[in-house]
Structure formats: structure tokens, C-alpha cells
Amino acid sequence: MRYRSRLTAPAAALIGTATVLTGGNAAYADTKDADVAGTDTKDTGGKSGAGPAPETLGDPVFPALGNDGYRVAAYHLDLSYDPATALVDATATLELCTAQPLTRLSLDSLGLDIHTVRVDGRTATFEQVDEKLRITPARPLPAGARVTVCVTYTADPRRALPHTAWVPTPDGFAVCPQPDSAHTVFPCNDHPSDKADLTCRITVPAALRAVASGSLVCTEHLAGDRIAYTYRSRSPIATELVQITVGDYVVKERRGPHGLPLRDVVPTARAEALEPALALTPGLVEWIEARLGAYPFETYGLLPCNSDDPNAFDFTGLETQTLTLYKPNFLLQAEPKIGSHMMHELVHSYFGNSVSPATWADLWLNEGHADFYGLLYRYERGWADSLGLTTFEARMKDTYARGDQWRKTSGPVAAPNAVNLFDSQRYLGGVLVLYALRQLIGEDAFHAVERAFLARHRNSSASTEDYIAVACRVSGQDVSGFLRDWLYGTTTPRMPGHPDWTVTPVTPSLTAPRRTGGRWHENSATL
């Protein structure tokens, strides 16, 4: 299935389109409205082509993920955590916009005990099949309708599942949804191309603290010595970027550049030990703002998860929106050991969060940029990397030599699959593409391309073709063939400005490394 033209059409025709912000929502929401407005809004009463919505968005990496026939405008989550049972009772209310007449729709859902489903206040029938929650409303839904779907359910954060976003801790939980596990926390349209507003209300015993993506907008003191915390995200959010956490936390607040509110959510017993790492954030924000522009969200901070379990999640940090999840012991190291990766995760606020990938094949836009700026930050300070190298050029020469090997074992940079999605090819391979582009068009033009891409697609999703189109227009050169060779070619192109660089030949016996489990997120060169 092809994606809608707003995601896949060449962006050259879109560059001049104004980005409209309304009530804190960005152009993506307006585009979703435009998609709906362009459909026939006549109530068909179940006739004239009404039928079940497709149960996929056709992602090239996760083809079963997401659902078509509608788009989500907003998620309203209401969760209640009981430490005695470690269960979460929840209600997820989704505001949808139908793009076609529907007799049935589906949400992504796995491991959730669904109790009831209501569509526009009426009881709907439902069934759970594989990782889909199929919903049949009492009445067919016309195209262009604004629809409210309300699902009540119970979740067990400790339930064994084929994959899960839940990270149980001794005093609660955190979540790590990337790439395809948000639907183990709440029923959703679990794909980064369908970003939506988010409000999250979490009720916990007064001895615990609950925090979610966005800003705290309400605190309610309830009967039974319980407190409900409500958070709202000012900008649209992809499901894979949602953070919801409960635990014995202290929230530490400070100010960043231009008065940016910074908040860290820290396990109380670890707060003092973690303070040196947390205090680095204002300087990191100032450095990246000088290169990519103003930080794109209402707040930023770190969430050192209260778990020392090495298997709790298979990465060091995860860029959940406005609140980066970390393994706490990583942050106990000295600045030269952690600063580069802290920059990597901060850069995801721009590439990955503000501008999300249109498909998971576009992951290199996230990880390549995060490693690019994370390495620049490292080498500016003279910190040696994991190979003992101290300059960007030296690391790129080493990476260039590996190019053909990685293309054989992990595929081209912009053509991953579910097994190799988080291989080094998406990280350092992506850095090498950006380095090659900078070598070709010059540093000033490269930085102009970066800022133009972020401005054009802010609070939306963008594809590799969108980045290529921006690069062509802003640089004044047709770099489309050059970039496609680097992104999709089976051999490594010549590096501009370095005719002496050579690629190590691929041996016939070379095979892809064996995977023993997990997603293998730990391929960032900033670690």
C-alpha cells in the first residue's frame, strides 16, 4: 500500500508551503484535516462503498503496523496504577477523523485486557486478532466524520509478550515504545506517520509520582490518599515517543537557554549521585541550538529509569518526547564518557521527534543526524571515541572503509528490514551520507539544508525523498542522484574531497552478524 501523497510525494513542490500553527498544533494536524476535507462527507449509511478499514499502513519494515481509513487527532489516556497488584487500569479515548466510509476500524493492541469499547458513546462490538483490536460500531461511520472511540482495559506491565514497551521497576514502571510497542501500553494507530495530540492523566498513591510527556497541567488530590497528575503535550507526538512513568521520584527543575524549562525525573535515592550528569543539559541545549535553531518543545529533561536490570531495555538512552529515558548507571560516568551520547539523544528532539520518520525505512534520518552532531560535539572537546580516534574526519575515513561490508550485511542505508533496523548502517552509515553531502555542497549550504528541512516538516513526518528534495532546492544543486546512490546503492560511492579514501573489499564469506535477541539499539558511535 502506498502512503498518502503528503508523505511520499517529492517535497520540491511542498517547500514553499507555509507551516501553520493553530492552538499549539502544527501543519501535520492541518494536513490531516485537509485529507479529510477532500473526501466525500455525505453520510452513506453504510452504503456506497462503506467497508472495513485496511489493517495496515504498508510500512516497508513493519508491514502489519498501523491502520488506514482514519487518522488520529488526539489521545486522552487515563491510567490508574495499583502497587499492590502492579496492574494498570486504563481508559484510552481517541478522537479520530475518518477518511472513508467505514463499517469497521482497527487499532493496534497487544497484551491488553479489553473490557469495553464505545464509539461516539454507543457500545461497539470488538474482537482481538493477533495485534489488532477490531471495532465494529453500532452504526457505519461516514467519510469526513469526527469520531470518538473509548476503550477501557487493564494492562500488566510484567506480562510476558513477544515484544513490549513496559519497563517494570521496583516502585512502578516506565515505557520504551520504540519502534513498534506503544500498542502494548494503549490501543493506538501505532505508526510515526500518524502523530496526534496527547493528554495523559495518571493516578497513583501519594507516596509515588507519575510523569508523562509534555507539561504538568493539573494535580488532583483524591480520596484514599491518591493523586492524579495530568500532562499535556503542546505538540503532536508519535506513539513510539510517548513516555509514561510511575515511581518514587523527585522532579528537579532548572532553566536552560532563553529560560527554557528543564525538568529531570529522578529516582529519589539516586538524585544526588546523578546531579553532575543532569547539570550538563543547559550547555548541551545551548550548543545544539546554535546549529539547529531553537529547541522545538516546551520542556526537556532526563528520566534515569529506576532499574539496574541489564535486560530492562536494550539501549542506553531513548528519546521519548520531552523526557529522555536512560539507564541510570550510564549517567554516573564522567562527562567525556556520557556527553556525546547525551547530545545524540537531545538531537532526536529535532530529528525523530519534531520531524518523525514517514516510514521506519527512514530511520537513518533520526539516527544518522543524532550521531552526526553527537560526534561533532565529542571531537570539538577532544574526547577520544570508542576506536581511540579524536577527529571527525578520521572516524569518517574509518567508516568509509567499512562501507561495502555494511551494505552487504545490513543493506543500503535507507533500505533496512526489521532484523537490521538498528544496525550501525543506520547510525554511522547515516553519518557518512551526511558527511558526503557536506563535502559536496559546502558547510554553509549543508547547515541551511538542515534548518530548512526541520522548519518545513516541524511537528510532522518526513521521508528520505523529502530530505532529498529540500537538499536540492536549498543547495541550488540537483543532488538527488548523488544522495540516492549513497542511500540506496549496493556499493559505496566516491567521497567528495577525498579521492585517496578506499573501501575495504568484501570477502565472499562475509555474512550478516547473528542476532541473539533484542533490537540491538547499541550501535551509536557516540557510546
Side-chain angles (χ1 to χ4, degrees):
M1 177 180 295
R2 293 181 57 84
Y3 276 77
R4 297 179 184 278
S5 60
R6 60 181 168 84
L7 294 179
T8 57
L14 304 176
I15 298 296
T17 304
T19 301
V20 181
L21 300 179
T22 305
N25 299 328
Y28 185 80
D30 298 325
T31 306
K32 288 195 286 188
D33 292 351
D35 286 346
V36 171
T39 61
D40 181 4
T41 59
K42 181 180 178 181
D43 189 335
T44 62
K47 302 177 182 179
S48 303
E55 293 184 339
T56 176
L57 285 172
D59 189 271
V61 178
F62 298 108
L65 205 60
N67 306 273
D68 208 355
Y70 66 87
R71 290 296 178 263
V72 182
Y75 292 97
H76 303 276
L77 307 180
D78 195 337
L79 290 75
S80 179
Y81 175 68
D82 182 352
T85 63
L87 298 179
V88 176
D89 289 316
T91 300
T93 303
L94 290 70
E95 298 177 16
L96 311 180
C97 304
T98 60
Q100 64 190 64
L102 298 176
T103 58
R104 190 183 77 195
L105 68 152
S106 60
L107 302 172
D108 296 303
S109 175
L110 174 65
L112 305 177
D113 295 323
I114 307 297
H115 305 312
T116 65
V117 178
R118 298 177 70 83
V119 177
D120 284 341
R122 299 183 180 91
T123 298
T125 59
F126 64 90
E127 62 176 340
Q128 294 178 269
V129 180
D130 297 324
E131 299 188 22
K132 299 294 180 180
L133 172 62
R134 292 175 178 165
I135 301 169
T136 303
R139 300 177 182 176
L141 305 174
R146 304 289 178 156
V147 179
T148 299
V149 177
C150 184
V151 182
T152 64
Y153 63 97
T154 298
D156 181 355
R158 289 167 171 76
R159 177 172 292 172
L161 296 169
H163 60 93
T164 184
W166 295 101
V167 181
T169 63
D171 50 1
F173 61 83
V175 299
C176 53
Q178 191 186 83
D180 61 340
S181 295
H183 61 279
T184 66
V185 178
F186 60 102
C188 57
N189 201 25
D190 199 359
H191 195 273
S193 66
D194 195 15
K195 300 171 77 165
D197 294 340
L198 173 71
T199 302
C200 191
R201 180 178 184 264
I202 317 122
T203 302
V204 295
L208 300 178
R209 183 70 184 264
V211 183
S213 297
S215 297
L216 181 65
V217 295
C218 181
T219 303
E220 306 166 72
H221 293 269
L222 307 175
D225 200 26
R226 293 172 69 79
I227 300 177
Y229 299 92
T230 300
Y231 289 81
R232 182 173 297 125
S233 180
R234 190 180 66 188
S235 303
I237 187 169
T239 51
E240 53 112 358
L241 301 173
V242 170
Q243 182 55 255
I244 305 168
T245 186
V246 169
D248 180 11
Y249 292 126
V250 58
V251 178
K252 307 187 73 170
E253 298 180 345
R254 68 191 84 216
R255 290 287 173 179
H258 320 296
L260 174 69
L262 301 175
R263 55 92 191 257
D264 299 305
V265 181
V266 192
T268 302
R270 303 175 189 252
E272 183 176 354
L274 288 167
E275 177 57 26
L278 305 178
L280 299 175
T281 298
L284 293 164
V285 174
E286 183 175 13
W287 188 90
I288 198 61
E289 283 192 333
R291 288 150 182 82
L292 297 180
Y295 175 77
F297 300 114
E298 64 267 39
T299 185
Y300 183 67
L302 309 187
L303 167 61
C305 184
N306 192 27
S307 174
D308 295 317
D309 181 358
N311 299 315
F313 42 90
D314 56 351
F315 47 84
T316 295
L318 181 68
E319 64 277 12
T320 47
Q321 194 158 305
T322 70
L323 194 61
T324 294
L325 179 69
Y326 269 105
K327 289 184 175 177
N329 289 338
F330 172 78
L331 296 173
L332 295 177
Q333 302 177 91
E335 182 181 2
K337 295 289 187 181
I338 63 176
S340 182
H341 195 65
M342 290 179 70
M343 180 58 69
H344 171 109
E345 298 300 343
L346 175 58
V347 170
H348 277 312
S349 297
Y350 298 81
F351 292 96
N353 296 16
S354 179
V355 181
S356 297
T359 77
W360 282 108
D362 303 306
L363 181 73
W364 78 274
L365 286 167
N366 299 17
E367 303 302 346
H369 277 100
D371 258 16
F372 183 91
Y373 291 100
L375 288 173
L376 283 179
Y377 187 77
R378 174 189 292 277
Y379 299 132
E380 275 192 12
R381 281 147 186 77
W383 300 335
D385 61 26
S386 60
L387 301 181
L389 303 174
T390 56
T391 68
F392 196 78
E393 185 171 306
R395 188 59 186 261
M396 290 298 94
K397 184 177 182 180
D398 178 87
T399 304
Y400 184 81
R402 304 168 191 260
D404 282 4
Q405 300 177 49
W406 287 359
R407 287 171 191 268
K408 181 172 178 61
T409 59
S410 295
V413 175
N417 58 42
V419 175
N420 64 36
L421 179 61
F422 291 98
D423 277 6
S424 294
Q425 184 72 308
R426 260 45 74 187
Y427 291 78
L428 266 176
V431 176
L432 193 65
V433 173
L434 297 172
Y435 178 82
L437 178 62
R438 192 179 70 170
Q439 287 289 109
L440 180 69
I441 66 177
E443 189 163 350
D444 290 345
F446 175 77
H447 288 304
V449 167
E450 297 281 271
R451 288 192 175 225
F453 177 75
L454 291 170
R456 169 64 191 93
H457 297 286
R458 180 175 180 176
N459 287 339
S460 185
S461 302
S463 68
T464 297
E465 285 300 311
D466 290 328
Y467 185 83
I468 292 172
V470 171
C472 289
R473 182 179 186 276
V474 174
S475 70
Q477 304 178 43
D478 183 0
V479 297
S480 57
F482 175 86
L483 283 173
R484 290 191 186 104
D485 285 346
W486 275 93
L487 290 163
Y488 298 107
T490 56
T491 59
T492 306
R494 301 293 296 175
M495 177 60 71
H498 294 289
D500 57 317
W501 285 13
T502 58
V503 179
T504 302
V506 176
T507 61
S509 61
L510 186 67
T511 58
R514 293 178 62 85
R515 298 295 185 259
T516 57
R519 294 288 189 186
W520 278 47
H521 285 64
E522 298 289 50
N523 285 299
S524 170
T526 60
L527 289 168

